[in-house]
Amino acid sequence: MKKIVYILCLLMTSTLWSQSRYNILLNMVHHNPGEPQFLSRYTDPNFISGLGYMGQVPKIEVQCGLTYDKWKTDIIPQRSEERFWIERHAASVRMYLKRVKDAGLEALPFTDMLVVPKSVMEKYGDEMKNEKGQISILRPMTQEILRAQIDELFWRFPNLDGLVIRHGETYLHDAPFHKGESPARSVEEHVLFLNILREEICVKRNKKLYYRTWDFENLHVRPDMYISVMNSVQVHPNLYISIKHVNYDFNRGYPFNKTIGIGEHNQIVEVSINQAGCYGKNAHPYYIGKGVIEGWNDLDEKKGIRDLYDTSIVKGFWLWTWGDGWYGPYFDNEFWVNLNEYVIRTYINSPQRKEEEIFYDYAKNVLHLDRTSAEYLRRLCLLSEDAVFLGQDTKLLKRNVWWIRDQFLTGINLNEVVEKGMENLILEEKRNNLKRWYEMESLAKKIRLPNLEDKEFVEVSTIYGRIKYELAFQIWRIQILLAQYDVRGIKIDSMEAKDAIHDYEQLWNSWEDLKKTYPCCPTLYEDWRAVNVAPPFQESLSRLKSLMTKD
């Protein structure tokens, strides 16, 4: 009886605080561009509605379900494969949006404006482009087509409550009959683009507009540019500016976003449970709850989302529960996703509560752990903060954060490490960091989870993570040998090289054995190919072997 009263009190408190503070909580699964969509509970509108989200941001390419017949008849030829694909896609979009509405959620799809059918681009592309050959909102035809897009979107899909507009990246992997690109780059373009969106969506149709600032280090991270744009756009209650919480992508080692809390427009804050796809994507333990809420311990200015409570223009949050990248690793147990999502979501709904309290609430009342096992899980999660970060990054200098992303292990240029004489410091940092993984692996085996599938996954995924970062340590060793050769002309230490290569290959064999033994083991990384990142690590390995033979 006491437990029931406790849970009811928590629910009542959470509801009261969510009403008095943050009134927006959105969820998105960002399917990998061009890949089969994720099978996840978080794609189910009924599931996320039951978690207390008020809206879903489905990535369903809603902009690709338009024929433009309301604007000009038969731009897209009848009896064409292009028209058939668009009309079939429109039917799928309508069905999905109905599911969202039936679940009691606001339907706010992730939308790339000015992605248009190839037939439209062939007829009007020259009138839409500037002297650089880029689509420009400054061209009258582009403005006309944008208005036509918005008009048909809300006519064809009446269940839309609004749109989430992306401009910084535009991908066509899931749009075989379309062309397009970023609709805004400069201050002038953003001002015009945003004002048209505001007029057509917020004013004329009384719908919601969430305008994402994400781009490549311009509007997203520059307060001067942000203010220049936003001061030229009138505030509207249905207009929200959506900003990633980091002053970069969702990566560690960067400060809190400096544009959050400035200006007069309503804002929502984006948090990715997968943190830019750089830290395992929840295939292994990497706890982000404490760091996101309170600020990461490696930053000079420790700032997290808890510091936004008194920032009145911040109206809510948008969580990405899956995706945030291009590929894997892939897995079938959402244990680590669920933990990170729960802690951050619960904090947003009840910001008077402490992160630690929320964590233990989940451990005891959702996972049904006893106190000892809850403490083991807590220790494992806190260790994972640095175990992951220091496995692939360093607190000693600024490194390229992208050398491990998605499922790819690539080469990392460590010339700067050698130039500064930091080889031993770096390797010692990595060697000591592996101790965290050994302890985590021991703790995982002690956690008495009642759900046996979860128990096995926690143990296997922790071993998986330990092997991954032991491999990463060997990559650091090998890349330092190559950097010493390149920077100082030092002859390759054949004993060190042979030892590192042997360790790397033995670890890889252990990884393969783990995957063969346990069906729940996430898919392994790839070191022989790499997409959208640096060259694969096998190229570094081949070069080292070649230099050993040469010397």
Side-chain angles (χ1 to χ4, degrees):
M1 184 65 185
K2 288 182 179 179
K3 186 173 182 180
I4 294 173
V5 172
Y6 167 75
I7 294 172
L8 287 173
C9 287
L10 286 180
L11 290 172
M12 292 173 62
T13 303
S14 174
T15 301
L16 289 171
W17 274 87
S18 65
Q19 290 175 347
S20 64
R21 182 55 191 101
Y22 302 117
N23 56 13
I24 296 174
L25 184 58
L26 310 178
N27 187 282
M28 178 178 75
V29 168
H30 187 281
H31 301 292
N32 292 338
E35 287 212 315
Q37 294 193 345
F38 293 112
L39 295 176
S40 165
R41 295 187 302 171
Y42 293 96
T43 61
D44 179 2
N46 287 302
F47 176 71
I48 65 171
S49 176
L51 295 179
Y53 288 94
M54 53 79 66
Q56 186 179 39
V57 184
K59 189 176 181 295
I60 52 176
E61 316 301 333
V62 65
Q63 71 279 353
C64 295
L66 310 180
T67 64
Y68 293 82
D69 286 342
K70 283 184 95 265
W71 178 48
K72 293 186 180 183
T73 305
D74 294 342
I75 299 176
I76 302 168
Q78 297 286 346
R79 298 179 177 175
S80 68
E81 190 177 359
E82 180 183 21
R83 177 176 278 270
F84 178 80
W85 187 93
I86 290 171
E87 291 179 342
R88 188 178 81 168
H89 183 70
S92 297
V93 170
R94 286 173 63 89
M95 290 179 67
Y96 193 96
L97 294 177
K98 185 178 186 302
R99 288 180 60 209
V100 175
K101 296 303 294 180
D102 287 348
L105 296 169
E106 291 189 3
L108 302 160
F110 198 62
T111 310
D112 291 327
M113 303 305 296
L114 297 179
V115 167
V116 299
K118 291 178 179 178
S119 293
V120 174
M121 189 64 72
E122 288 169 5
K123 292 182 180 181
Y124 301 106
D126 290 343
E127 297 179 65
M128 297 172 67
K129 295 177 181 177
N130 58 23
E131 62 281 357
K132 296 180 181 178
Q134 299 171 326
I135 293 176
S136 174
I137 193 63
L138 303 180
R139 300 298 297 269
M141 179 55 70
T142 308
Q143 297 167 32
E144 185 176 343
I145 289 176
L146 174 61
R147 293 181 190 274
Q149 267 189 318
I150 296 169
D151 183 49
E152 187 173 351
L153 277 167
F154 286 98
W155 171 78
R156 189 173 293 279
F157 307 120
N159 280 323
L160 287 176
D161 292 287
L163 298 173
V164 174
I165 303 295
R166 174 171 71 169
H167 71 84
E169 295 178 86
T170 300
Y171 301 117
L172 303 173
H173 299 69
D174 301 294
F177 295 96
H178 289 73
K179 289 186 175 181
E181 57 188 87
S182 178
R185 300 170 184 85
S186 67
V187 170
E188 183 182 13
E189 288 174 323
H190 278 291
V191 168
L192 181 55
F193 184 50
L194 187 46
N195 272 310
I196 292 174
L197 293 170
R198 178 188 177 278
E199 176 189 348
E200 294 289 336
I201 297 173
C202 303
V203 178
K204 286 186 179 180
R205 294 172 175 83
N206 193 30
K207 300 289 186 176
K208 293 181 179 179
L209 167 61
Y210 294 88
Y211 191 77
R212 300 189 68 222
T213 63
W214 167 249
D215 58 15
F216 295 98
E217 301 185 55
N218 286 301
L219 182 63
H220 175 59
V221 299
R222 288 176 47 194
D224 60 330
M225 185 174 183
Y226 181 91
I227 291 297
S228 293
V229 172
M230 299 308 161
N231 281 354
S232 299
V233 179
Q234 189 175 349
V235 172
H236 191 283
N238 284 347
L239 170 60
Y240 299 86
I241 309 303
S242 182
I243 308 171
K244 292 184 180 183
H245 68 101
V246 183
N247 209 59
Y248 187 59
D249 206 337
F250 293 117
N251 298 93
R252 285 279 294 275
Y254 292 86
F256 202 79
N257 197 299
K258 298 181 185 302
T259 64
I260 294 175
I262 67 174
E264 298 180 358
H265 287 275
N266 293 331
Q267 295 179 339
I268 64 168
V269 177
E270 301 179 30
V271 177
S272 169
I273 302 303
N274 287 299
Q275 296 286 285
C278 287
Y279 309 99
K281 302 176 89 166
N282 289 286
H284 57 68
Y286 178 49
Y287 182 58
I288 67 168
K290 185 177 177 67
V292 168
I293 292 170
E294 299 179 0
W296 294 104
N297 58 19
D298 52 283
L299 295 178
D300 294 332
E301 181 186 5
K302 191 176 179 183
K303 183 176 181 180
I305 62 174
R306 70 175 179 182
D307 297 296
L308 300 178
Y309 186 85
D310 294 322
T311 306
S312 61
I313 62 172
V314 175
K315 303 299 182 183
F317 291 82
W318 166 18
L319 303 188
W320 302 29
T321 37
W322 272 78
D324 193 8
W326 292 86
Y327 293 95
Y330 309 96
F331 48 91
D332 61 9
N333 189 308
E334 298 181 304
F335 183 91
W336 301 115
V337 177
N338 295 338
L339 171 59
N340 281 315
E341 184 275 339
Y342 180 92
V343 171
I344 294 173
R345 167 174 52 85
T346 303
Y347 173 79
I348 291 166
N349 282 332
S350 49
Q352 85 286 2
R353 297 178 67 190
K354 293 183 178 181
E355 172 272 332
E356 183 177 12
E357 175 194 348
I358 296 169
F359 182 96
Y360 279 114
D361 171 40
Y362 183 79
K364 290 188 283 186
N365 297 312
V366 178
L367 297 178
H368 306 295
L369 295 178
D370 59 38
R371 181 69 190 184
T372 300
S373 288
E375 289 174 352
Y376 288 151
L377 180 62
R378 176 69 175 175
R379 172 67 178 165
L380 186 156
C381 286
L382 294 182
L383 283 169
S384 75
E385 292 181 332
D386 276 348
V388 170
F389 178 61
L390 293 179
Q392 61 192 69
D393 209 322
T394 176
K395 294 181 180 181
L396 301 174
L397 74 169
K398 201 69 180 173
R399 295 302 321 134
N400 174 14
V401 298
W402 300 104
W403 74 277
I404 296 182
R405 194 192 189 193
D406 291 330
Q407 65 200 38
F408 304 115
L409 297 176
T410 73
I412 177 172
N413 187 324
L414 296 179
N415 286 359
E416 184 184 0
V417 171
V418 174
E419 289 166 356
K420 294 182 176 180
M422 300 176 66
E423 300 102 301
N424 291 333
L425 286 174
I426 289 288
L427 291 177
E428 187 64 19
E429 179 187 59
K430 305 304 156 211
R431 194 174 286 108
N432 287 334
N433 186 58
L434 289 177
K435 296 175 184 177
R436 294 185 176 92
W437 280 104
Y438 303 147
E439 183 179 350
M440 288 164 61
E441 187 173 342
S442 175
L443 288 166
K445 295 174 182 178
K446 297 177 181 178
I447 298 170
R448 296 191 292 271
L449 279 158
N451 184 309
L452 296 183
E453 288 185 1
D454 285 348
K455 177 175 174 55
E456 181 180 69
F457 182 73
V458 167
E459 293 180 19
V460 171
S461 64
T462 306
I463 297 170
Y464 173 97
R466 186 262 299 166
I467 296 173
K468 171 186 166 182
Y469 285 102
E470 284 196 307
L471 286 164
F473 173 59
Q474 304 310 321
I475 293 176
W476 284 91
R477 288 177 70 187
I478 289 168
Q479 295 291 167
I480 282 177
L481 287 172
L482 291 172
Q484 288 174 333
Y485 180 87
D486 292 335
V487 173
R488 296 180 187 157
I490 296 176
K491 181 180 177 180
I492 297 295
D493 182 334
S494 60
M495 292 298 293
E496 171 70 5
K498 287 179 182 178
D499 187 54
I501 293 169
H502 174 268
D503 288 351
Y504 185 85
E505 291 175 348
Q506 288 296 108
L507 286 163
W508 197 278
N509 291 338
S510 297
W511 224 13
E512 290 180 346
D513 288 343
L514 185 73
K515 181 60 180 168
K516 291 174 185 176
T517 305
Y518 297 99
C520 71
C521 179
T523 57
L524 304 186
Y525 278 60
E526 297 179 49
D527 65 353
W528 63 93
R529 75 168 183 132
V531 182
N532 300 319
V533 284
F537 176 65
Q538 280 293 333
E539 292 187 14
S540 295
L541 205 55
S542 296
R543 181 171 179 241
L544 179 64
K545 292 176 181 179
S546 175
L547 289 172
M548 290 167 63
T549 303
K550 175 182 175 182
D551 291 341

